[in-house]
Amino acid sequence: MKQDPTFVIIDVRRPDEYAGGHIPGAINIDSTHLSEHLESLDPDGTYLLCCQRGGGRSAGAREVMEKAGFREVYDVKGGMSAWQAAGLPVTGGV
């Protein structure tokens, strides 16, 4: 990931959820506002989407991005819940 400058982690949760802890380097774009930000994202980039439990929000955001022509869009299986349970790094929060 670090060697690919086009790799972007997008946390699609609400700002208050993001503030409670997120993947280091992730940007926060609430899934309800994602379509408003698509023009600022590179459709040739690689994206990893994360929500709370890896279900509805990241899957819906992935569909929106794919329909808009983004080719490499993935989501964190199990979301932040699984990320934290695996002991992976988290920044922000208490």
Side-chain angles (χ1 to χ4, degrees):
M1 293 184 325
K2 290 182 181 182
Q3 270 118 38
D4 183 353
T6 66
F7 188 90
V8 178
I9 302 169
I10 302 175
D11 190 315
V12 297
R13 299 176 298 159
R14 295 184 320 264
D16 61 309
E17 293 172 301
Y18 175 84
H22 54 273
I23 298 170
I27 60 171
N28 183 221
I29 303 175
D30 187 322
S31 62
T32 60
H33 302 288
L34 179 64
S35 58
E36 300 165 22
H37 295 272
L38 290 179
E39 285 187 19
S40 67
L41 301 172
D42 180 2
D44 294 322
T46 303
Y47 297 90
L48 178 66
L49 306 178
C50 184
C51 65
Q52 189 60 37
R53 290 180 188 81
R57 289 183 281 184
S58 62
R62 186 181 70 242
E63 286 181 26
V64 166
M65 291 180 77
E66 288 172 346
K67 284 180 183 176
F70 291 79
R71 293 187 309 256
E72 291 201 55
V73 184
Y74 308 95
D75 54 294
V76 175
K77 299 299 177 202
M80 279 304 295
S81 297
W83 185 274
Q84 290 175 303
L88 296 169
V90 175
T91 190
V94 258

